[in-house]
């Protein structure tokens, strides 16, 4: 929840830090939080890269697929 709260507050750097901690704990939501923070910073390509890594490691995590599809759609891809 803390990572999502940082995103809502516009603090992408803190959200990325939380996302990285989640990844260290092997939690799939870390990929999502980092990608959302990158997207917030206008770094869509990096967000897509993070999500591609996430879906390759945790293919059953549907929120990662959904966000990846949304980012591709936003880029008319």
């Amino acid at each position: 929840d803390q990572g999502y709260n940082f995103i809502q507050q516009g603090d992408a750097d803190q959200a990325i830090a939380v996302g990285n901690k989640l990844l260290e704990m092997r939690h799939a939501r870390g990929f999502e939080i980092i990608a959302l923070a990158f997207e917030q910073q206008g770094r869509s390509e990096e967000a897509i890269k993070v999500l591609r890594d996430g879906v390759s490691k945790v293919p059953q995590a549907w929120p990662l697929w959904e966000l990846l599809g949304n980012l591709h759609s936003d880029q008319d891809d």
Side-chain angles (χ1 to χ4, degrees):
D1 290 336
Q2 190 179 43
Y4 297 113
N5 288 336
F6 282 130
I7 290 168
Q8 288 178 346
Q9 295 169 6
D11 193 343
D13 291 332
Q14 288 293 339
I16 291 168
V18 170
N20 283 321
K21 280 190 166 212
L22 287 170
L23 292 181
E24 288 174 14
M25 297 177 350
R26 303 180 67 81
H27 197 291
R29 290 286 183 179
F31 293 108
E32 182 180 3
I33 289 170
I34 292 169
L36 288 169
F38 280 162
E39 180 185 22
Q40 189 175 68
Q41 293 178 325
R43 298 161 60 187
S44 295
E45 288 297 323
E46 290 173 82
I48 288 171
K49 184 177 177 182
V50 166
L51 290 168
R52 285 184 180 155
D53 185 35
V55 298
S56 73
K57 292 179 179 170
V58 192
Q60 69 276 18
W62 66 266
L64 302 180
W65 287 103
E66 181 178 34
L67 185 54
L68 180 60
N70 289 343
L71 286 172
H72 278 296
S73 179
D74 289 347
Q75 293 188 334
D76 295 327
D77 190 6

Short mmCIF file of all heavy atoms in Angstrom, two decimals, residues 7-70:
data_model
loop_
_atom_site.label_atom_id
_atom_site.label_comp_id
_atom_site.label_asym_id
_atom_site.label_seq_id
_atom_site.Cartn_x
_atom_site.Cartn_y
_atom_site.Cartn_z
N ILE A 7 2.81 6.86 -5.11
CA ILE A 7 2.43 7.20 -6.48
C ILE A 7 1.30 8.22 -6.48
O ILE A 7 1.33 9.22 -7.21
CB ILE A 7 2.05 5.93 -7.27
CG1 ILE A 7 3.32 5.10 -7.52
CG2 ILE A 7 1.36 6.29 -8.59
CD1 ILE A 7 3.06 3.71 -8.02
N GLN A 8 0.29 8.00 -5.64
CA GLN A 8 -0.83 8.94 -5.56
C GLN A 8 -0.38 10.32 -5.11
O GLN A 8 -0.94 11.33 -5.52
CB GLN A 8 -1.90 8.41 -4.61
CG GLN A 8 -2.67 7.25 -5.18
CD GLN A 8 -3.70 6.71 -4.20
OE1 GLN A 8 -3.68 7.01 -3.01
NE2 GLN A 8 -4.61 5.90 -4.71
N GLN A 9 0.65 10.38 -4.27
CA GLN A 9 1.17 11.65 -3.78
C GLN A 9 2.13 12.30 -4.77
O GLN A 9 2.60 13.41 -4.55
CB GLN A 9 1.90 11.43 -2.44
CG GLN A 9 1.01 10.98 -1.33
CD GLN A 9 1.80 10.52 -0.10
OE1 GLN A 9 3.03 10.64 -0.04
NE2 GLN A 9 1.10 9.97 0.87
N GLY A 10 2.45 11.59 -5.85
CA GLY A 10 3.36 12.14 -6.85
C GLY A 10 4.83 11.97 -6.49
O GLY A 10 5.68 12.63 -7.08
N ASP A 11 5.12 11.09 -5.54
CA ASP A 11 6.51 10.86 -5.12
C ASP A 11 7.03 9.56 -5.75
O ASP A 11 7.13 8.52 -5.11
CB ASP A 11 6.59 10.79 -3.59
CG ASP A 11 8.01 10.86 -3.08
OD1 ASP A 11 8.96 10.65 -3.88
OD2 ASP A 11 8.18 11.13 -1.87
N ALA A 12 7.35 9.65 -7.03
CA ALA A 12 7.76 8.48 -7.80
C ALA A 12 9.06 7.88 -7.26
O ALA A 12 9.22 6.66 -7.25
CB ALA A 12 7.91 8.84 -9.28
N ASP A 13 9.98 8.71 -6.81
CA ASP A 13 11.26 8.19 -6.31
C ASP A 13 11.06 7.29 -5.10
O ASP A 13 11.66 6.22 -5.00
CB ASP A 13 12.22 9.33 -5.97
CG ASP A 13 12.70 10.07 -7.21
OD1 ASP A 13 12.75 9.45 -8.29
OD2 ASP A 13 13.02 11.26 -7.08
N GLN A 14 10.21 7.71 -4.18
CA GLN A 14 9.93 6.88 -3.00
C GLN A 14 9.18 5.61 -3.41
O GLN A 14 9.42 4.53 -2.86
CB GLN A 14 9.11 7.66 -1.97
CG GLN A 14 9.89 8.71 -1.25
CD GLN A 14 10.97 8.12 -0.35
OE1 GLN A 14 10.93 6.97 0.05
NE2 GLN A 14 11.94 8.94 -0.02
N ALA A 15 8.29 5.72 -4.39
CA ALA A 15 7.56 4.54 -4.88
C ALA A 15 8.53 3.53 -5.48
O ALA A 15 8.40 2.32 -5.25
CB ALA A 15 6.51 4.96 -5.91
N ILE A 16 9.51 4.00 -6.23
CA ILE A 16 10.50 3.12 -6.83
C ILE A 16 11.30 2.42 -5.73
O ILE A 16 11.58 1.21 -5.83
CB ILE A 16 11.42 3.90 -7.79
CG1 ILE A 16 10.62 4.32 -9.03
CG2 ILE A 16 12.64 3.06 -8.19
CD1 ILE A 16 11.31 5.34 -9.92
N ALA A 17 11.64 3.15 -4.68
CA ALA A 17 12.37 2.54 -3.57
C ALA A 17 11.55 1.42 -2.92
O ALA A 17 12.07 0.34 -2.63
CB ALA A 17 12.74 3.60 -2.53
N VAL A 18 10.26 1.66 -2.73
CA VAL A 18 9.38 0.64 -2.17
C VAL A 18 9.28 -0.54 -3.13
O VAL A 18 9.34 -1.71 -2.72
CB VAL A 18 7.98 1.21 -1.86
CG1 VAL A 18 6.99 0.11 -1.52
CG2 VAL A 18 8.06 2.22 -0.73
N GLY A 19 9.14 -0.25 -4.43
CA GLY A 19 9.07 -1.31 -5.43
C GLY A 19 10.31 -2.19 -5.42
O GLY A 19 10.22 -3.42 -5.50
N ASN A 20 11.46 -1.57 -5.29
CA ASN A 20 12.71 -2.34 -5.23
C ASN A 20 12.78 -3.22 -3.99
O ASN A 20 13.26 -4.35 -4.05
CB ASN A 20 13.92 -1.42 -5.32
CG ASN A 20 14.17 -0.95 -6.74
OD1 ASN A 20 14.02 -1.71 -7.69
ND2 ASN A 20 14.55 0.30 -6.88
N LYS A 21 12.28 -2.70 -2.86
CA LYS A 21 12.24 -3.52 -1.65
C LYS A 21 11.33 -4.73 -1.85
O LYS A 21 11.65 -5.84 -1.42
CB LYS A 21 11.76 -2.70 -0.45
CG LYS A 21 12.80 -1.84 0.16
CD LYS A 21 12.32 -1.26 1.48
CE LYS A 21 13.53 -0.70 2.19
NZ LYS A 21 13.41 -0.81 3.62
N LEU A 22 10.19 -4.50 -2.50
CA LEU A 22 9.28 -5.61 -2.78
C LEU A 22 9.94 -6.66 -3.68
O LEU A 22 9.76 -7.86 -3.47
CB LEU A 22 7.98 -5.10 -3.41
CG LEU A 22 7.04 -4.37 -2.47
CD1 LEU A 22 5.91 -3.70 -3.26
CD2 LEU A 22 6.47 -5.32 -1.44
N LEU A 23 10.69 -6.20 -4.66
CA LEU A 23 11.38 -7.14 -5.54
C LEU A 23 12.43 -7.94 -4.77
O LEU A 23 12.61 -9.14 -5.03
CB LEU A 23 12.02 -6.42 -6.73
CG LEU A 23 11.04 -5.82 -7.74
CD1 LEU A 23 11.81 -5.15 -8.87
CD2 LEU A 23 10.08 -6.87 -8.29
N GLU A 24 13.11 -7.29 -3.84
CA GLU A 24 14.06 -8.01 -3.00
C GLU A 24 13.37 -9.11 -2.21
O GLU A 24 13.97 -10.15 -1.94
CB GLU A 24 14.76 -7.04 -2.04
CG GLU A 24 15.76 -6.13 -2.70
CD GLU A 24 16.31 -5.09 -1.74
OE1 GLU A 24 16.13 -5.23 -0.50
OE2 GLU A 24 16.92 -4.11 -2.22
N MET A 25 12.10 -8.86 -1.85
CA MET A 25 11.32 -9.85 -1.11
C MET A 25 10.62 -10.84 -2.05
O MET A 25 9.83 -11.65 -1.61
CB MET A 25 10.29 -9.15 -0.22
CG MET A 25 10.93 -8.28 0.83
SD MET A 25 9.85 -7.30 1.93
CE MET A 25 8.24 -7.41 1.29
N ARG A 26 10.92 -10.70 -3.35
CA ARG A 26 10.36 -11.56 -4.39
C ARG A 26 8.84 -11.42 -4.49
O ARG A 26 8.11 -12.39 -4.66
CB ARG A 26 10.79 -13.01 -4.18
CG ARG A 26 12.30 -13.15 -4.16
CD ARG A 26 12.78 -14.56 -3.96
NE ARG A 26 12.48 -15.46 -5.07
CZ ARG A 26 13.17 -15.56 -6.19
NH1 ARG A 26 14.22 -14.80 -6.37
NH2 ARG A 26 12.83 -16.42 -7.12
N HIS A 27 8.36 -10.18 -4.40
CA HIS A 27 6.93 -9.88 -4.50
C HIS A 27 6.66 -9.23 -5.85
O HIS A 27 7.25 -8.19 -6.19
CB HIS A 27 6.51 -8.96 -3.36
CG HIS A 27 5.04 -8.91 -3.14
ND1 HIS A 27 4.18 -8.34 -4.04
CD2 HIS A 27 4.28 -9.39 -2.13
CE1 HIS A 27 2.95 -8.44 -3.59
NE2 HIS A 27 2.98 -9.08 -2.43
N ALA A 28 5.74 -9.79 -6.61
CA ALA A 28 5.47 -9.35 -7.98
C ALA A 28 4.96 -7.92 -8.06
O ALA A 28 5.15 -7.25 -9.08
CB ALA A 28 4.47 -10.29 -8.64
N ARG A 29 4.31 -7.42 -7.03
CA ARG A 29 3.79 -6.05 -7.06
C ARG A 29 4.90 -5.02 -7.19
O ARG A 29 4.65 -3.89 -7.60
CB ARG A 29 2.95 -5.76 -5.82
CG ARG A 29 1.65 -6.49 -5.76
CD ARG A 29 0.67 -5.92 -6.72
NE ARG A 29 -0.61 -6.63 -6.57
CZ ARG A 29 -1.67 -6.37 -7.24
NH1 ARG A 29 -1.66 -5.40 -8.14
NH2 ARG A 29 -2.77 -7.06 -7.07
N GLY A 30 6.12 -5.39 -6.87
CA GLY A 30 7.24 -4.48 -7.04
C GLY A 30 7.39 -4.03 -8.48
O GLY A 30 7.66 -2.85 -8.75
N PHE A 31 7.19 -4.96 -9.41
CA PHE A 31 7.28 -4.61 -10.83
C PHE A 31 6.22 -3.56 -11.19
O PHE A 31 6.50 -2.59 -11.90
CB PHE A 31 7.08 -5.84 -11.72
CG PHE A 31 8.16 -6.87 -11.62
CD1 PHE A 31 7.93 -8.07 -10.98
CD2 PHE A 31 9.42 -6.64 -12.15
CE1 PHE A 31 8.91 -9.04 -10.88
CE2 PHE A 31 10.42 -7.60 -12.06
CZ PHE A 31 10.17 -8.79 -11.42
N GLU A 32 5.01 -3.79 -10.70
CA GLU A 32 3.91 -2.88 -11.00
C GLU A 32 4.16 -1.48 -10.42
O GLU A 32 3.97 -0.48 -11.12
CB GLU A 32 2.61 -3.45 -10.43
CG GLU A 32 1.40 -2.60 -10.73
CD GLU A 32 0.12 -3.17 -10.16
OE1 GLU A 32 0.15 -4.21 -9.47
OE2 GLU A 32 -0.92 -2.55 -10.41
N ILE A 33 4.59 -1.42 -9.18
CA ILE A 33 4.81 -0.12 -8.54
C ILE A 33 5.94 0.64 -9.25
O ILE A 33 5.81 1.84 -9.52
CB ILE A 33 5.11 -0.31 -7.04
CG1 ILE A 33 3.82 -0.75 -6.33
CG2 ILE A 33 5.66 0.97 -6.42
CD1 ILE A 33 4.00 -1.20 -4.91
N ILE A 34 7.01 -0.05 -9.58
CA ILE A 34 8.11 0.62 -10.28
C ILE A 34 7.64 1.11 -11.65
O ILE A 34 7.94 2.24 -12.05
CB ILE A 34 9.32 -0.32 -10.41
CG1 ILE A 34 9.94 -0.58 -9.03
CG2 ILE A 34 10.37 0.27 -11.36
CD1 ILE A 34 10.97 -1.68 -9.00
N ALA A 35 6.90 0.29 -12.36
CA ALA A 35 6.41 0.69 -13.68
C ALA A 35 5.48 1.89 -13.59
O ALA A 35 5.57 2.82 -14.40
CB ALA A 35 5.71 -0.49 -14.36
N LEU A 36 4.58 1.89 -12.62
CA LEU A 36 3.68 3.03 -12.45
C LEU A 36 4.46 4.30 -12.12
O LEU A 36 4.13 5.38 -12.62
CB LEU A 36 2.67 2.74 -11.34
CG LEU A 36 1.58 1.72 -11.67
CD1 LEU A 36 0.82 1.31 -10.42
CD2 LEU A 36 0.64 2.25 -12.74
N ALA A 37 5.49 4.17 -11.31
CA ALA A 37 6.32 5.33 -10.97
C ALA A 37 7.06 5.85 -12.20
O ALA A 37 7.12 7.07 -12.44
CB ALA A 37 7.29 4.97 -9.85
N PHE A 38 7.63 4.93 -12.98
CA PHE A 38 8.30 5.35 -14.21
C PHE A 38 7.32 6.04 -15.15
O PHE A 38 7.64 7.06 -15.76
CB PHE A 38 8.94 4.15 -14.92
CG PHE A 38 10.26 3.70 -14.35
CD1 PHE A 38 10.74 2.43 -14.64
CD2 PHE A 38 11.03 4.51 -13.55
CE1 PHE A 38 11.95 1.99 -14.14
CE2 PHE A 38 12.24 4.08 -13.05
CZ PHE A 38 12.71 2.82 -13.34
N GLU A 39 6.13 5.48 -15.28
CA GLU A 39 5.12 6.09 -16.14
C GLU A 39 4.80 7.51 -15.65
O GLU A 39 4.68 8.43 -16.46
CB GLU A 39 3.86 5.24 -16.16
CG GLU A 39 2.77 5.82 -17.04
CD GLU A 39 1.48 5.05 -16.96
OE1 GLU A 39 1.24 4.32 -15.96
OE2 GLU A 39 0.68 5.18 -17.90
N GLN A 40 4.68 7.67 -14.36
CA GLN A 40 4.39 8.98 -13.78
C GLN A 40 5.50 9.98 -14.11
O GLN A 40 5.23 11.16 -14.30
CB GLN A 40 4.24 8.83 -12.27
CG GLN A 40 3.74 10.07 -11.56
CD GLN A 40 3.50 9.82 -10.10
OE1 GLN A 40 4.47 9.60 -9.36
NE2 GLN A 40 2.26 9.83 -9.68
N GLN A 41 6.71 9.50 -14.21
CA GLN A 41 7.84 10.37 -14.54
C GLN A 41 8.01 10.57 -16.05
O GLN A 41 8.95 11.20 -16.48
CB GLN A 41 9.13 9.77 -13.98
CG GLN A 41 9.21 9.75 -12.47
CD GLN A 41 10.48 9.10 -11.97
OE1 GLN A 41 10.99 8.15 -12.55
NE2 GLN A 41 10.97 9.60 -10.85
N GLY A 42 7.10 10.00 -16.84
CA GLY A 42 7.21 10.13 -18.29
C GLY A 42 8.22 9.19 -18.90
O GLY A 42 8.68 9.41 -20.01
N ARG A 43 8.56 8.13 -18.18
CA ARG A 43 9.58 7.17 -18.63
C ARG A 43 8.88 5.86 -19.05
O ARG A 43 9.16 4.79 -18.52
CB ARG A 43 10.57 6.93 -17.50
CG ARG A 43 11.32 8.18 -17.10
CD ARG A 43 11.97 8.10 -15.73
NE ARG A 43 12.96 7.04 -15.62
CZ ARG A 43 13.56 6.72 -14.48
NH1 ARG A 43 13.27 7.37 -13.37
NH2 ARG A 43 14.44 5.74 -14.45
N SER A 44 7.99 5.97 -20.03
CA SER A 44 7.17 4.83 -20.44
C SER A 44 7.98 3.66 -20.97
O SER A 44 7.66 2.51 -20.71
CB SER A 44 6.15 5.27 -21.50
OG SER A 44 5.24 6.18 -20.94
N GLU A 45 9.03 3.94 -21.71
CA GLU A 45 9.86 2.85 -22.24
C GLU A 45 10.48 2.03 -21.11
O GLU A 45 10.55 0.80 -21.19
CB GLU A 45 10.95 3.39 -23.18
CG GLU A 45 10.42 3.88 -24.51
CD GLU A 45 9.78 2.77 -25.34
OE1 GLU A 45 10.26 1.63 -25.31
OE2 GLU A 45 8.77 3.08 -26.02
N GLU A 46 10.94 2.72 -20.08
CA GLU A 46 11.51 2.00 -18.93
C GLU A 46 10.44 1.22 -18.18
O GLU A 46 10.69 0.12 -17.69
CB GLU A 46 12.21 2.98 -18.00
CG GLU A 46 13.49 3.54 -18.60
CD GLU A 46 14.09 4.63 -17.73
OE1 GLU A 46 14.78 4.27 -16.76
OE2 GLU A 46 13.86 5.81 -18.03
N ALA A 47 9.24 1.79 -18.11
CA ALA A 47 8.13 1.09 -17.46
C ALA A 47 7.81 -0.20 -18.22
O ALA A 47 7.60 -1.25 -17.60
CB ALA A 47 6.90 2.00 -17.41
N ILE A 48 7.79 -0.11 -19.53
CA ILE A 48 7.53 -1.30 -20.35
C ILE A 48 8.61 -2.35 -20.14
O ILE A 48 8.32 -3.54 -20.01
CB ILE A 48 7.39 -0.90 -21.84
CG1 ILE A 48 6.06 -0.15 -22.04
CG2 ILE A 48 7.49 -2.12 -22.76
CD1 ILE A 48 5.89 0.48 -23.39
N LYS A 49 9.85 -1.92 -20.08
CA LYS A 49 10.96 -2.85 -19.84
C LYS A 49 10.79 -3.57 -18.51
O LYS A 49 10.99 -4.78 -18.42
CB LYS A 49 12.29 -2.09 -19.89
CG LYS A 49 13.50 -2.96 -19.76
CD LYS A 49 14.78 -2.15 -19.88
CE LYS A 49 15.98 -3.05 -19.67
NZ LYS A 49 17.23 -2.31 -19.72
N VAL A 50 10.43 -2.83 -17.46
CA VAL A 50 10.22 -3.43 -16.14
C VAL A 50 9.08 -4.45 -16.20
O VAL A 50 9.18 -5.55 -15.65
CB VAL A 50 9.91 -2.33 -15.09
CG1 VAL A 50 9.35 -2.93 -13.81
CG2 VAL A 50 11.15 -1.52 -14.80
N LEU A 51 8.01 -4.09 -16.88
CA LEU A 51 6.86 -4.99 -16.96
C LEU A 51 7.18 -6.24 -17.79
O LEU A 51 6.72 -7.34 -17.44
CB LEU A 51 5.65 -4.26 -17.54
CG LEU A 51 5.06 -3.21 -16.59
CD1 LEU A 51 4.07 -2.33 -17.32
CD2 LEU A 51 4.43 -3.88 -15.38
N ARG A 52 7.93 -6.08 -18.84
CA ARG A 52 8.34 -7.26 -19.62
C ARG A 52 9.17 -8.20 -18.77
O ARG A 52 9.01 -9.42 -18.84
CB ARG A 52 9.13 -6.84 -20.86
CG ARG A 52 8.26 -6.26 -21.95
CD ARG A 52 9.06 -5.94 -23.18
NE ARG A 52 8.20 -5.39 -24.20
CZ ARG A 52 8.61 -4.60 -25.15
NH1 ARG A 52 9.89 -4.27 -25.25
NH2 ARG A 52 7.77 -4.15 -26.06
N ASP A 53 10.05 -7.64 -17.97
CA ASP A 53 10.83 -8.46 -17.04
C ASP A 53 9.89 -9.14 -16.05
O ASP A 53 10.03 -10.33 -15.76
CB ASP A 53 11.85 -7.58 -16.31
CG ASP A 53 12.78 -8.37 -15.41
OD1 ASP A 53 13.15 -9.52 -15.76
OD2 ASP A 53 13.17 -7.83 -14.35
N GLY A 54 8.92 -8.40 -15.55
CA GLY A 54 7.98 -8.95 -14.59
C GLY A 54 7.15 -10.10 -15.15
O GLY A 54 7.03 -11.14 -14.50
N VAL A 55 6.60 -9.93 -16.34
CA VAL A 55 5.77 -11.00 -16.90
C VAL A 55 6.59 -12.21 -17.29
O VAL A 55 6.08 -13.33 -17.30
CB VAL A 55 4.88 -10.52 -18.08
CG1 VAL A 55 3.91 -9.45 -17.63
CG2 VAL A 55 5.71 -10.06 -19.26
N SER A 56 7.88 -12.01 -17.56
CA SER A 56 8.72 -13.16 -17.86
C SER A 56 9.03 -13.96 -16.59
O SER A 56 9.19 -15.18 -16.64
CB SER A 56 10.02 -12.74 -18.55
OG SER A 56 10.90 -12.11 -17.65
N LYS A 57 9.09 -13.27 -15.45
CA LYS A 57 9.40 -13.93 -14.19
C LYS A 57 8.16 -14.42 -13.45
O LYS A 57 8.22 -15.40 -12.72
CB LYS A 57 10.20 -12.99 -13.28
CG LYS A 57 11.59 -12.73 -13.82
CD LYS A 57 12.36 -11.77 -12.96
CE LYS A 57 13.76 -11.59 -13.57
NZ LYS A 57 14.50 -10.51 -12.92
N VAL A 58 7.04 -13.71 -13.63
CA VAL A 58 5.80 -14.06 -12.93
C VAL A 58 4.65 -14.00 -13.95
O VAL A 58 3.82 -13.08 -13.92
CB VAL A 58 5.52 -13.09 -11.75
CG1 VAL A 58 4.41 -13.64 -10.86
CG2 VAL A 58 6.77 -12.80 -10.94
N PRO A 59 4.60 -14.95 -14.89
CA PRO A 59 3.61 -14.87 -15.96
C PRO A 59 2.15 -14.95 -15.50
O PRO A 59 1.26 -14.51 -16.21
CB PRO A 59 3.97 -16.05 -16.87
CG PRO A 59 4.79 -16.96 -16.04
CD PRO A 59 5.47 -16.11 -15.01
N GLN A 60 1.91 -15.45 -14.30
CA GLN A 60 0.54 -15.55 -13.81
C GLN A 60 0.05 -14.26 -13.15
O GLN A 60 -1.11 -14.17 -12.75
CB GLN A 60 0.40 -16.73 -12.83
CG GLN A 60 1.11 -16.56 -11.51
CD GLN A 60 2.58 -16.95 -11.52
OE1 GLN A 60 3.22 -17.05 -12.57
NE2 GLN A 60 3.15 -17.16 -10.34
N ALA A 61 0.88 -13.24 -13.06
CA ALA A 61 0.50 -11.98 -12.43
C ALA A 61 -0.22 -11.11 -13.45
O ALA A 61 0.39 -10.29 -14.14
CB ALA A 61 1.73 -11.27 -11.86
N TRP A 62 -1.55 -11.28 -13.52
CA TRP A 62 -2.33 -10.58 -14.54
C TRP A 62 -2.26 -9.05 -14.45
O TRP A 62 -2.34 -8.38 -15.49
CB TRP A 62 -3.78 -11.05 -14.55
CG TRP A 62 -4.54 -10.72 -13.30
CD1 TRP A 62 -4.72 -11.51 -12.21
CD2 TRP A 62 -5.22 -9.50 -13.02
NE1 TRP A 62 -5.45 -10.85 -11.25
CE2 TRP A 62 -5.79 -9.61 -11.73
CE3 TRP A 62 -5.41 -8.30 -13.73
CZ2 TRP A 62 -6.52 -8.60 -11.13
CZ3 TRP A 62 -6.14 -7.29 -13.13
CH2 TRP A 62 -6.69 -7.44 -11.85
N PRO A 63 -2.10 -8.43 -13.26
CA PRO A 63 -2.00 -6.96 -13.26
C PRO A 63 -0.81 -6.44 -14.07
O PRO A 63 -0.88 -5.37 -14.67
CB PRO A 63 -1.86 -6.59 -11.78
CG PRO A 63 -2.51 -7.73 -11.05
CD PRO A 63 -2.15 -8.94 -11.88
N LEU A 64 0.27 -7.23 -14.11
CA LEU A 64 1.43 -6.81 -14.90
C LEU A 64 1.10 -6.83 -16.39
O LEU A 64 1.47 -5.93 -17.13
CB LEU A 64 2.63 -7.72 -14.61
CG LEU A 64 3.10 -7.79 -13.16
CD1 LEU A 64 4.29 -8.74 -13.05
CD2 LEU A 64 3.44 -6.42 -12.62
N TRP A 65 0.39 -7.88 -16.82
CA TRP A 65 -0.02 -7.98 -18.22
C TRP A 65 -0.95 -6.83 -18.59
O TRP A 65 -0.83 -6.24 -19.67
CB TRP A 65 -0.71 -9.32 -18.49
CG TRP A 65 0.20 -10.48 -18.50
CD1 TRP A 65 0.38 -11.42 -17.52
CD2 TRP A 65 1.09 -10.86 -19.57
NE1 TRP A 65 1.32 -12.34 -17.90
CE2 TRP A 65 1.77 -12.03 -19.16
CE3 TRP A 65 1.39 -10.32 -20.82
CZ2 TRP A 65 2.70 -12.67 -19.95
CZ3 TRP A 65 2.32 -10.95 -21.61
CH2 TRP A 65 2.97 -12.12 -21.18
N GLU A 66 -1.89 -6.54 -17.69
CA GLU A 66 -2.85 -5.47 -17.96
C GLU A 66 -2.14 -4.12 -18.11
O GLU A 66 -2.40 -3.37 -19.05
CB GLU A 66 -3.89 -5.41 -16.84
CG GLU A 66 -4.94 -4.34 -17.07
CD GLU A 66 -5.98 -4.33 -15.97
OE1 GLU A 66 -5.65 -4.61 -14.80
OE2 GLU A 66 -7.13 -4.03 -16.30
N LEU A 67 -1.25 -3.82 -17.19
CA LEU A 67 -0.52 -2.55 -17.25
C LEU A 67 0.37 -2.50 -18.48
O LEU A 67 0.46 -1.46 -19.15
CB LEU A 67 0.29 -2.35 -15.97
CG LEU A 67 1.03 -1.03 -15.82
CD1 LEU A 67 0.09 0.16 -15.99
CD2 LEU A 67 1.71 -0.97 -14.45
N LEU A 68 1.01 -3.61 -18.81
CA LEU A 68 1.84 -3.66 -20.01
C LEU A 68 1.01 -3.38 -21.26
O LEU A 68 1.41 -2.58 -22.12
CB LEU A 68 2.54 -5.03 -20.12
CG LEU A 68 3.44 -5.25 -21.31
CD1 LEU A 68 4.58 -4.24 -21.34
CD2 LEU A 68 3.99 -6.68 -21.29
N GLY A 69 -0.16 -3.99 -21.34
CA GLY A 69 -1.05 -3.73 -22.48
C GLY A 69 -1.49 -2.28 -22.53
O GLY A 69 -1.55 -1.68 -23.62
N ASN A 70 -1.81 -1.70 -21.38
CA ASN A 70 -2.22 -0.31 -21.34
C ASN A 70 -1.12 0.63 -21.82
O ASN A 70 -1.36 1.58 -22.56
CB ASN A 70 -2.65 0.09 -19.93
CG ASN A 70 -3.95 -0.54 -19.50
OD1 ASN A 70 -4.72 -1.02 -20.31
ND2 ASN A 70 -4.18 -0.57 -18.20
#
